[in-house]
Amino acid sequence: MPELGTREISVAFATNRKPGTSKANVVTFAGAWADKLSFGTADLLAGREQVVKRAERRASGSGLLENSASDLTSERLIAVRNMATSEGLPAATSSPMDAFVFVHGYNVSFEDALKRTAQIAFDLDFAGPSLLFSWPSEAKLFGYGYDRDSADIAVNHFIAFLDAASSQMPGTKIHIIAHSMGNVVVLAALEKIALRGSWTPRPLIGEIVLAHPDVDQDRFRQLAGTVKGVGAGMTLYTSQSDVALWASKLLRGVGRAGGTETVVSGVDTVDITGLGTSFWSTNHSVFSANPIVFGDIARLMSSSVRPPSKRSEAFEEVKNGDAVHWRYRQPVASGALEVTGAAK
C-alpha cells in the first residue's frame, strides 16, 4: 500500500528493448534491441508535496494554472515502486473510454520514460489507462546515431503495440503524445497504418500530439500529408529556442520540424517560442514543463476543440497567405503599450 498522502500511478508498457539486470521488485530494460515486444505494468509513486499541491489546485477550481512552472510535477519527484512483465496490455475495465500513450525521445532510459509517463498521467489527473511505448535508446548524450537507428527499427513494433491495444481494449480511443525523436517512430508507424488496405482494421486513434519533433522538415510534410486522416487531429508544437533541435540541425545538416515554424495543411502548428522554463534550459521539454503548453494539451485531449486559439488565449492566429499557424502571444511591456497608444 502507498504511504498516506501519496498517490500511486499505474503505467502499462510495451517495449522492444532487451531485458536488463533486474532488482528486487523491479524488472528493468536496457538499450539493446529485442526481436519482439515485452509487455508489463509498473506502479509509480508521487510524493505528498505534489499530491497536496494538486489537491489545492482542484479545490480552488483553478485546475492547471498558466503562470507558474511549479504547477507541474517534475518526473524526478516520481519514484518507481515495482514493475512486472505480463503477456499483454491489461484489458479495459469499461468501454468506450480514453487512453494515452507516451513515446519518448532520444537519450532516455526505460525508467526515465516510465517516470515521464507517470508525471503526465498525474498532472492530467487522467482517468483512463496510461501507456508507455519505449523503444531502445542508449540513454547517452553521444548515442544519437544509435538512437536514430533504433527509432527506425521500432516502427513495426509500435504498430504491433497499437494493434494489441486495440484488440485488448476494444472501443478505447488512444491519444498519442510523441516527444523529440519519438516522432520518427510515431509518424512512420501511422504512415504505414494509413496505407493499409481496408481489410485490416485501423486502431481507434484520438489526438496526435507531436512535441518538439526531431524530424526532417520535408520528411515531416510528406508524412503529415499521409497521416492527417488517421486520428482525430494532429497538433505540432515547435520552438525556435529549442537548443537540442538546433544541435540536431547542425548534426544532420537540415532543419527539424520542431525547431522552426513548420506549417502543413491539416496540422495545427503552435509556435511556443518564448515559453522556455529557464535561461539555462535547452527548451526541449517545454510540452511537459510549462503549464501553458501542458494545459493546452490537456484541453485538446479532453475536448478535441480546435483551433488552438479557441482553447487558450495565450495563442494567437498568424496568417501568411493561405498558410495559418498559431503562436504564443508574447506579453507586451507597459512602456510599449504606451508608445503604441500615443501613435494612434
Side-chain angles (χ1 to χ4, degrees), residues 172-301:
T172 297
K173 184 189 296 181
I174 303 170
H175 304 286
I176 300 174
I177 303 175
H179 179 227
S180 189
M181 198 180 284
N183 286 272
V184 172
V185 180
V186 168
L187 288 170
L190 294 181
E191 180 189 42
K192 288 190 173 187
I193 289 173
L195 296 174
R196 278 177 174 176
S198 57
W199 60 88
T200 305
R202 287 184 181 179
L204 181 57
I205 297 190
E207 295 297 336
I208 302 167
V209 177
L210 311 172
H212 310 264
D214 188 1
V215 179
D216 174 278
Q217 264 191 302
D218 291 331
R219 177 60 173 150
F220 180 88
R221 291 189 178 96
Q222 182 185 54
L223 288 167
T226 306
V227 169
K228 61 184 178 183
V230 172
M234 281 194 293
T235 303
L236 164 65
Y237 292 98
T238 73
S239 174
Q240 297 175 61
S241 57
D242 188 323
V243 176
L245 292 184
W246 173 81
S248 179
K249 177 182 177 181
L250 287 181
L251 182 66
R252 308 279 293 182
V254 288
R256 318 314 287 166
T260 188
E261 292 175 357
T262 304
V263 181
V264 183
S265 175
V267 179
D268 290 341
T269 297
V270 184
D271 183 355
I272 56 173
T273 303
L275 285 174
T277 53
S278 72
F279 178 78
W280 297 108
S281 172
T282 62
N283 299 318
H284 192 51
S285 295
V286 175
F287 82 102
S288 67
N290 186 282
I292 291 177
V293 185
F294 193 86
D296 187 55
I297 294 172
R299 286 184 286 273
L300 175 64
M301 287 172 52

Side-chain angles (χ1 to χ4, degrees), residues 12-15 37-41 85-99 129 131 157-174 201-204:
F13 64 82
T15 181
L37 285 175
S38 294
F39 294 91
T41 56
T85 56
S86 61
E87 292 301 313
L89 296 170
T93 55
S94 62
S95 184
M97 62 179 177
D98 287 26
L131 311 173
H157 294 287
F158 185 60
I159 294 172
F161 158 78
L162 289 175
D163 287 339
S166 296
S167 174
Q168 293 173 243
M169 297 186 292
T172 297
K173 184 189 296 181
I174 303 170
R202 287 184 181 179
L204 181 57

Side-chain angles (χ1 to χ4, degrees), residues 53 56-58 60-72 290-296 299:
K53 285 171 62 178
E56 289 173 347
R57 294 201 304 268
R58 305 300 181 199
S60 67
S62 59
L64 279 169
L65 303 180
E66 295 196 343
N67 59 4
S68 172
S70 66
D71 290 322
L72 294 174
N290 186 282
I292 291 177
V293 185
F294 193 86
D296 187 55
R299 286 184 286 273

